[in-house]
Amino acid sequence: MKALVKYAPGEGHLDVMEVAEPHCGDDQVKIEIAFCGVCGTDLHILHDTFRNYPPVILGHECSGTVVEVGRSVRDVRPGERVTVLGATAVTCGRCVHCASGYFIFCRSRRGIGHGVNGAFTRYLVARPDQLYRIPDAFSLEEAALSEPFAAAVQAVCEIAQVQRGETALVPGPGPIGLLCLKLLVAEGVRTIVAGAPGDRERLAAARRFGAAEIVDVGQRDLSEAARDFTDGAGIDVAFECAGHPDSVRACLGALRPMGRYTQVAICGREIQFPIDQILYKQLTLRGSITYTARTWQRMMDIYAEGRVRLHDLVSTTLPISEWRRAFDLCANKNALKVLLYPI
Ligand SMILES: [Zn+2]
Ligand SMILES: [Zn+2]
């Protein structure tokens, strides 16, 4: 089968090549991949700025159909449409983090698409506990957004625990910011989405997805917009999805006394901000990185309730052979979510 492989350490060293089809073990399930989303992490692996273990097939945001089930697997059947919690591919299962469900902090962890073979190919094998059935109403394209959506579910519902009637600020209208927005709208939270001049299309999408207000920070001061939006009271909760120093400072400035700040994006550098704002406004600052299996179950409940649909976030689908174009679209912010499909 053809796969997009990081074949050696270092910058670049990524290409489509022929690899062996994976064998489905007795306790495993084999999935035919339908779609797999391109993520910022994939660009980091291309440039070797995210840890990776070559040779490894990239891709960690996938959907597909079960085609084979190992002999000892009971509750999964061929033909079922699934999405995959690939981040738990390898964990120790014994440490305090594995025991508490926060497997992401397990020191032995390796996820699909960087640590073990991922889903930019035709077949993937996984354990049954990594699979989540897709509701009938969901397309396989839409279901491929589950992995990033789970990250938004953790940030919005579990870390910030937003309440109906609150106000939110989301700088950074990339896929994660827009997924947070969709959830905030579904939860009844009035939301400002902010972006840079280059984000025009993404800000237009934010407007379509129900943002109460969009702000192009090249044209309007974000703190002022947040003040006007809340009649001077300040924002209840901020989700920093841009990873930009100005955005971090704007969020801290826009929050009301006792507001909640959630760091969702990676900044990738040290930044300066007025720490006294945390004191004087008694702010709560938290980070949100990925999700737990409980988050995935909560996401499935949200799907089942029909409160959030994700299909309109997919802007482009391309065959794996066109991965360069797909990666460029993501790097240049010229797309919402780009999916690849097997060849
Ligand atoms: Zn990702
Ligand atoms: Zn562990």
Side-chain angles (χ1 to χ4, degrees), residues 89-109:
V90 178
T91 60
C92 83
R94 293 182 304 274
C95 71
V96 60
H97 306 301
C98 283
S100 68
Y102 290 92
F103 62 81
I104 195 72
F105 305 116
C106 173
R107 292 173 64 171
S108 306
R109 188 187 76 84

Side-chain angles (χ1 to χ4, degrees), residues 105-133:
F105 305 116
C106 173
R107 292 173 64 171
S108 306
R109 188 187 76 84
R110 288 195 192 188
I112 66 166
H114 73 279
V116 297
N117 281 337
F120 285 142
T121 187
R122 185 165 297 278
Y123 296 108
L124 177 76
V125 291
R127 298 184 314 272
D129 68 271
Q130 295 180 272
L131 306 185
Y132 290 80
R133 273 187 208 97

Side-chain angles (χ1 to χ4, degrees), residues 44-56:
H44 280 295
I45 295 171
L46 168 67
H47 299 301
D48 211 33
T49 47
F50 185 88
R51 188 153 32 131
N52 58 85
Y53 300 84
V56 66

Side-chain angles (χ1 to χ4, degrees), residues 37-42 59-61 147-148 151 176 290-291 337:
V38 180
C39 165
T41 306
D42 299 313
H60 58 271
E61 306 180 352
E147 193 273 348
I176 294 283
T290 68
Y291 36 69
K337 193 71 189 181

Side-chain angles (χ1 to χ4, degrees), residues 170-210:
V170 180
I176 294 283
L178 292 174
L179 287 165
C180 286
L181 168 67
K182 278 182 170 272
L183 205 44
L184 289 163
V185 170
E187 297 285 333
V189 175
R190 288 199 312 133
T191 303
I192 307 181
V193 176
D199 290 320
R200 188 170 304 162
E201 278 179 43
R202 293 173 165 192
L203 286 174
R207 167 104 55 208
R208 289 198 301 278
F209 298 162

